[in-house]
Amino acid sequence: MTEPLTKPAAGSTPSASGTAPVVVAIDGPAGSGKSSVSKAAALRLGYGFLDTGAAYRALAWHALAHGADTSDATAVLEVFGDFDYAISLDARDRWVRVGEVDVTAAIREPRVTDAVSGVARVASVRHAVNELFRRLVASAALPGVVVEGRDITTVVFPDAPVRILLTAAPEVRAARRSAELTDHDAAKVAAALHQRDAADSTVVDFLTAAPGVEVVDSTHLDFEQTVDAVLSVVDNTMGARDGR
Ligand SMILES: Nc1ncnc2c1ncn2[C@@H]1O[C@H](COP(=O)(O)OP(=O)(O)O)[C@@H](O)[C@H]1O
Ligand SMILES: Nc1ccn([C@@H]2O[C@H](COP(=O)(O)OP(=O)(O)O)[C@@H](O)[C@H]2O)c(=O)n1
């Protein structure tokens, strides 16, 4: 399930049933659990999973590989011209590629994380990747796709049947992220996360739920409880939609 960013959707295949996949849209700030919880929810639902942040991270990786200044929109647009991006929607087999290079692990490196808000600020980049996300989902031969990011409930799929804002207290999010990066100073990880939230929130409001968006606050929930809370929103929303 891949699609190059720079080419039209000519190679895309319609969904097996001929109907578009159900979209479960999940937004939230860094460290709220979007990626891990969405992936677990997708596996339980038998849906695909699209991590939209991976596209911005891969572009930041690509820009750094070209020695481009990621805070300069013109320089970002220049490297975006040959950004050949592909991602798996299979929650059991996740990978991200730029050209022939598998960047699945590299895009999680702190140097990429530090650069990503710069490339995500460029409006025409956002427009192009949002189109890609919609094409990827529309052409997936899957019953549904859990799509997570910062602006999925508001910009990318504002009409999704299920829309959730996954949140948690800032100190809890910082602690979760620093637990992942054991070889890094916890205070530095927390400062970097808050700085990125601040930069990202100048572009998209992912801290307030838009009308119709359900909030799942995982501050006092463990991982499994958070997945259950998300699945119960999916169940209730789809049940109400189907008249159950
Ligand atoms: N409810 C939770 N309780 C404890 N840990 C959690 C919970 N939700 C997520 N995590 C952990 O927190 C870390 C950050 O989650 P992640 O999915 O990467 O967040 P995001 O994609 O929002 O940045 C991961 O190690 C994940 O396993
Ligand atoms: N839909 C999205 C997803 C990510 N992003 C950007 O991409 C970066 C990385 O996203 P991510 O989801 O991997 O970040 P985490 O929240 O997982 O740390 C964010 O810091 C945003 O700058 C965005 O602008 N819009």
Side-chain angles (χ1 to χ4, degrees), residues 29-31 34 51-54 56-57 108 116-117 120 126 148-152 177 196 200:
K34 294 182 305 297
D51 165 3
T52 61
Y56 295 99
R57 286 176 177 274
R108 305 289 153 196
V116 69
S117 297
R126 300 195 71 83
E148 59 92 357
R150 295 281 190 286
D151 58 351
I152 310 307
R177 190 43 51 86
R196 188 154 56 91
D200 289 342

